[in-house]
Amino acid sequence: MLLENAELVKRFFMNKWIFIMSIALVTSLYSCNNDTKLNGVIMVESEFQSDSDPDANGWTASFAEYRTTAVDSVLNLQAGVSRLPAPLDTTRYSLRMQSNNRSGNMFMFMKKRITGLRNNTDYQITFDVNLATQYPDAADVIGSPGSSVYLKAGASAEEPVRIAENGIYKVNIDKGTESAGGTQMVTLGNVANGGNTFVYRLISRSSPGNSLVVRTNDKGELWLCVGTDSKYEGLVNLYYDKIKATLNLAE
C-alpha cells in the first residue's frame, strides 16, 4: 500500500513537472516570436493593385504649401488610385497625385500609419520609391518640372496633417524646404525622368543610408510620409508605383 502511494506521488510530481516545463516552453516560444516581431527588420511595401481599394493600401493623400483662399479646382488638386499611363504597363495600378502650383510652392504628400512597434523607441528608416514621371531635366518658360520638384520621404510619431498658419496651408512636420530635407523627412532626389523628352518613365529613388532616425509614440506607432516639394509653377502629375520603407531598431 505504501509502495502504491509512493508511486502515485511520484507520478503526480512527474506530471506536474512536465506541465510546468510545457508552459515554460510555450511562453519562451511566444516571447521569441514577439521579440522577432519587435526587433527584426520590418519592411512595409505598398503596391496599388486595384482602383476599388478605397484607402489606397492604407495611404491617405493631402496637399499643403498654398494659400487658404486658393480654390481647389483652380489648383487642380487630384489624388487617387489610377492605372499607370502609356507607354508604361497600363494594366498596373498606382497612386496618382496632381496639382497646379500657382503660388510658387506646393507640397503633395501621402501618409500611412504603422503599428506594432516598440513604444518610445528609436527606429532607423530607409525608403525606396518607384514612380512614373514624364518630366525631363529641360526647363520650359516657367521652370523645370523635372529638376524643380523634389521627392521626399520620412516618418513621425505624430500624424502629418495640413494646418492653416498666417493664411497658408502648411504641414505640421519638419519636411524641410524645396531641395533641403528636414528633421522628419529626407530628400530622395528630383522627379526628372532621365530623358530629353516629355514621356512617362518609371524612375527609382532611395534614401541615403542611415539618414533618418525616428522615435515611436507611447503606443508603438509611426506615421510614414512620402511626397513632393515643388517650386515649379505649373501642373505636375505623378504616379507612385511602389513604396517600400525598411525599419530597423536604431543602435
Side-chain angles (χ1 to χ4, degrees):
M1 184 70 175
L2 288 175
L3 288 175
E4 183 177 345
N5 288 338
E7 186 65 22
L8 288 174
V9 171
K10 181 179 178 182
R11 289 180 181 176
F12 170 79
F13 281 106
M14 180 63 73
N15 290 337
K16 184 176 181 181
W17 181 83
I18 292 172
F19 175 76
I20 292 172
M21 290 302 295
S22 298
I23 293 297
L25 178 61
V26 169
T27 302
S28 175
L29 289 174
Y30 173 79
S31 297
C32 287
N33 288 337
N34 197 42
D35 224 27
T36 299
K37 178 183 177 183
L38 294 175
N39 295 344
V41 176
I42 301 166
M43 285 190 289
V44 180
E45 295 192 74
S46 296
E47 290 189 86
F48 309 96
Q49 298 297 334
S50 170
D51 59 0
S52 63
D53 182 2
D55 65 352
N57 203 219
W59 292 90
T60 303
S62 188
F63 302 84
E65 296 291 329
Y66 62 94
R67 294 189 179 279
T68 57
T69 54
V71 180
D72 286 1
S73 60
V74 173
L75 297 177
N76 209 346
L77 304 180
Q78 297 181 30
V81 176
S82 172
R83 293 181 186 269
L84 286 174
L88 301 175
D89 183 356
T90 57
T91 66
R92 288 183 58 83
Y93 286 90
S94 64
L95 180 55
R96 173 177 171 265
M97 295 198 72
Q98 175 182 285
S99 66
N100 195 350
N101 181 5
R102 295 296 186 91
S103 61
N105 292 288
M106 177 63 72
F107 185 53
M108 302 191 296
F109 69 99
M110 64 187 91
K111 60 190 177 184
K112 180 172 182 175
R113 185 167 67 105
I114 306 300
T115 61
L117 306 175
R118 283 191 173 193
N119 300 349
N120 303 310
T121 300
D122 290 338
Y123 281 82
Q124 180 181 300
I125 308 176
T126 57
F127 288 87
D128 298 281
V129 179
N130 294 349
L131 75 158
T133 170
Q134 65 173 327
Y135 307 109
D137 283 321
D140 58 24
V141 293
I142 54 175
S144 171
S147 59
S148 297
V149 179
Y150 306 98
L151 179 64
K152 296 182 176 182
S156 58
E158 68 273 24
E159 179 182 358
V161 294
R162 187 181 70 176
I163 57 175
E165 186 177 297
N166 298 323
I168 302 291
Y169 283 126
K170 297 185 177 181
V171 67
N172 66 327
I173 64 172
D174 182 10
K175 65 175 180 62
T177 304
E178 296 177 354
S179 62
T183 59
Q184 293 169 301
M185 296 192 81
V186 294
T187 303
L188 310 189
N190 60 38
V191 300
N193 64 7
N196 299 316
T197 58
F198 283 82
V199 60
Y200 276 104
R201 301 183 182 192
L202 278 175
I203 63 171
S204 298
R205 298 285 187 264
S206 298
S207 57
N210 306 334
S211 59
L212 185 67
V213 175
V214 181
R215 178 169 289 251
T216 60
N217 62 23
D218 56 8
K219 297 179 181 179
E221 300 173 336
L222 280 179
W223 286 85
L224 303 181
C225 186
V226 176
T228 51
D229 210 349
S230 173
K231 64 177 183 179
Y232 172 71
E233 296 187 26
L235 185 69
V236 172
N237 191 18
L238 300 169
Y239 297 78
Y240 289 87
D241 175 59
K242 184 184 297 185
I243 300 170
K244 182 174 78 172
T246 304
L247 291 77
N248 288 275
L249 282 173
E251 297 181 356

